[in-house]
Amino acid sequence: VQKPINISSPGGIIGLTVYRNNSPRILAIQKRVKTIENKGKAIVIDLSEQRLSNYEDGYRVVSHIVSTGKSGYNTPVGEYDVKNKIDRAFSKTYGLYMPFWMAFTYNGYGIHELPEWPGGYKEGEDHLGIPVSHGCVRLGVNSAEQIYNWSEVGTPVIVQE
C-alpha cells in the first residue's frame, strides 16, 4: 500500500496523489470549495478565475475555461441546481442557438456551449476566460457537451466569486 502525497500550490489548489492498481492519479481540489459536503456530482463556477469545474464526491474531475456575465449582466452568485437540459436551445431574445443548454435558474441563466448563429457561426471562442456574456456561463466546443453528458437534472451548481 502506497501512502497518499498531499501537495499545495500558491494558486489555492491542493493536489492529492492516490494510487489505483499501482498507478498514481492526482486529484485536484480547490481550497475554497473543499468543504462542500456533497455526495455525488456538483458543478462549481468560479467567476474570479472564469472556470467551471465538475466534482464527484468532493474531488475535482476536470476544469474548463468559461466566459461569464459582463458588468451589468452579472452571472448570479449562489447555490442552484440544473433545472432542465436542452441539447440545442434557441434564444428568441438574441436569435441564437445555445447548444447543450443547462438552466440553473428559472429566469434565464444557464450553462451552454458558445452561442451559434443560425448559419452555424460560433460566437466568442476568443472570449473564453473573459466575462462577456449576458449572464450565462459559456463553455467551449466539446467542453459543453462533456459537462452536458456528465450532469443530470438536479446536479448542484455553485457560482462563487
Side-chain angles (χ1 to χ4, degrees), residues 116-129:
E116 183 179 310
W117 291 94
Y121 172 74
K122 295 277 188 188
E123 179 184 304
E125 186 164 4
D126 56 339
H127 295 148
L128 290 172

Side-chain angles (χ1 to χ4, degrees), residues 106-118:
Y106 287 117
N107 57 347
Y109 294 99
I111 300 165
H112 60 82
E113 190 175 83
L114 298 172
E116 183 179 310
W117 291 94

Side-chain angles (χ1 to χ4, degrees), residues 11-93:
I13 304 294
I14 296 173
L16 175 65
T17 303
V18 296
Y19 293 86
R20 182 177 290 162
N21 299 328
N22 291 323
S23 295
R25 180 178 176 202
I26 296 176
L27 301 175
I29 307 169
Q30 289 183 345
K31 287 182 180 181
R32 292 177 7 184
V33 296
K34 72 177 187 175
T35 59
I36 293 174
E37 296 180 9
N38 184 61
K39 295 288 183 193
K41 298 178 179 182
I43 296 170
V44 177
I45 299 157
D46 190 308
L47 300 176
S48 67
E49 295 181 6
Q50 292 294 289
R51 299 211 60 93
L52 177 150
S53 300
N54 58 317
Y55 286 76
E56 286 193 52
D57 296 327
Y59 293 98
R60 187 168 70 176
V61 177
V62 69
S63 182
H64 302 277
I65 192 165
V66 297
S67 179
T68 61
K70 63 185 174 182
S71 181
Y73 293 92
N74 300 11
T75 303
V77 173
E79 295 185 21
Y80 308 95
D81 57 65
V82 175
K83 308 291 185 204
N84 62 50
K85 294 171 60 173
I86 303 169
D87 62 352
R88 191 165 164 78
F90 184 77
S91 169
K92 292 178 187 174
T93 303

Side-chain angles (χ1 to χ4, degrees), residues 87-151:
D87 62 352
R88 191 165 164 78
F90 184 77
S91 169
K92 292 178 187 174
T93 303
Y94 300 106
L96 297 168
Y97 291 98
M98 299 171 296
F100 306 110
W101 169 262
M102 296 185 296
F104 62 87
T105 71
Y106 287 117
N107 57 347
Y109 294 99
I111 300 165
H112 60 82
E113 190 175 83
L114 298 172
E116 183 179 310
W117 291 94
Y121 172 74
K122 295 277 188 188
E123 179 184 304
E125 186 164 4
D126 56 339
H127 295 148
L128 290 172
I130 303 166
V132 298
S133 80
H134 287 122
C136 284
V137 179
R138 297 178 180 178
L139 282 155
V141 176
N142 297 324
S143 298
E145 184 176 9
Q146 178 187 3
I147 297 297
Y148 183 89
N149 291 334
W150 173 84
S151 66

